[in-house]
Amino acid sequence: MKPLKTLSLQPRREFLKSLGLLSAGFLLPVYGNGSILWNDNPVKITPVRIRGKVSAQGKGIKGVAVTDGYSVVSTDANGVYELMSSSLQEFVSISLPAGYQVPTRKNGIARFFQPITASAKGEFAANFALNPSPVNDNSHVLLVLADPQIQDRYEADLLLSQTTPDVNALVKSYGDRPVFGIGCGDLVFDHFELFDDYQKAVSGMDIPFFQVLGNHDMDTQQIRSDALSAQTFKKLVLLIILLIKEKSIM
């Protein structure tokens, strides 16, 4: 029998270092002379100062978390906040505090965020007006719509004619308890033309819905990176175009 070869184990740190160098060799394009080809048109990043207030019935709400997806601040005793962001960030949102209703658009989408549209001076105002919950929300119900993945007219009709009435009956059975839902992604199976049917179904459920992007809700054609893969989702599901046209989301 031939003797087994002894494997030489590299220290983990050295292995990761060599792996990083190897990866760089695959990822960085080079000229014929070996020099690295850098991007001649780098993304221009500018600072954006976001100011606003979180209130209910004209009174500021203290301690509400506000974020641009990168940094997080809390509102002061008057419900006022200030957040330094950048042109890379697309939204400013709040973590909805207990004791208040989930603000909702007519299509059922929860309105806890605003698209950042900074002025030429790099300023943006984002105010959030909430309404107190008429019932105690310590006991609430979360409904999860997991991977509906409608992919043709037949399945879209089933969502509208069967799932929506079933959800309505379930919500009614909980009485006065607050109910909200989460669409956990893969809302449609790579068929963007069915987003409208999905939204009609969710709107008919008459409860606030939070939406999550799934891999079957992403742009895959002519997209070279993940950075732009959610553009259609944002336009169709989150209705970014309509939100930008409105002076205030709340």
Side-chain angles (χ1 to χ4, degrees), residues 13-172:
R13 187 180 298 274
E14 292 299 320
F15 170 75
L16 293 176
K17 180 179 179 181
S18 62
L19 182 63
L21 293 174
L22 179 62
S23 301
F26 283 109
L27 296 176
L28 294 176
V30 297
Y31 285 116
N33 60 7
S35 61
I36 297 175
L37 174 61
W38 298 101
N39 186 357
D40 292 329
N41 298 300
V43 176
K44 184 179 180 181
I45 303 174
T46 56
V48 177
R49 185 185 303 275
I50 305 174
R51 293 189 178 100
K53 183 176 183 179
V54 181
S55 62
Q57 299 175 340
K59 183 178 180 180
I61 306 174
K62 178 183 177 180
V64 178
V66 185
T67 180
D68 63 350
Y70 184 80
S71 302
V72 182
V73 297
S74 294
T75 55
D76 64 17
N78 297 312
V80 175
Y81 74 91
E82 181 174 319
L83 174 66
M84 284 306 303
S85 184
S86 78
S87 55
L88 288 179
Q89 306 308 112
E90 297 181 89
F91 306 98
V92 57
S93 61
I94 62 172
S95 180
L96 294 168
Y100 296 90
Q101 294 177 314
V102 179
T104 310
R105 291 185 59 79
K106 291 182 179 180
N107 69 336
I109 304 300
R111 303 188 307 178
F112 63 100
F113 62 93
Q114 294 190 41
I116 299 173
T117 54
S119 67
K121 295 182 179 180
E123 300 283 340
F124 179 65
N127 298 312
F128 296 88
L130 305 178
N131 290 314
S133 177
V135 297
N136 190 311
D137 60 1
N138 287 338
S139 176
H140 58 267
V141 178
L142 167 63
L143 301 182
V144 178
L145 192 61
D147 288 44
Q149 298 204 79
I150 53 175
Q151 55 184 321
D152 53 36
R153 180 75 267 146
Y154 171 74
E155 293 183 356
D157 289 340
L158 285 179
L159 185 68
L160 287 161
S161 64
Q162 295 187 17
T163 304
T164 297
D166 285 348
V167 169
N168 287 334
L170 181 61
V171 171
K172 187 176 180 180

Side-chain angles (χ1 to χ4, degrees), residues 166-203:
D166 285 348
V167 169
N168 287 334
L170 181 61
V171 171
K172 187 176 180 180
S173 71
Y174 289 116
D176 292 333
R177 293 172 65 185
V179 182
F180 62 93
I182 295 181
C184 283
D186 289 354
L187 311 178
V188 299
F189 195 80
D190 302 319
H191 291 277
F192 294 142
E193 69 275 10
L194 297 177
F195 267 126
D196 186 54
D197 295 282
Y198 171 81
Q199 292 197 106
K200 286 179 181 177
V202 168
S203 177

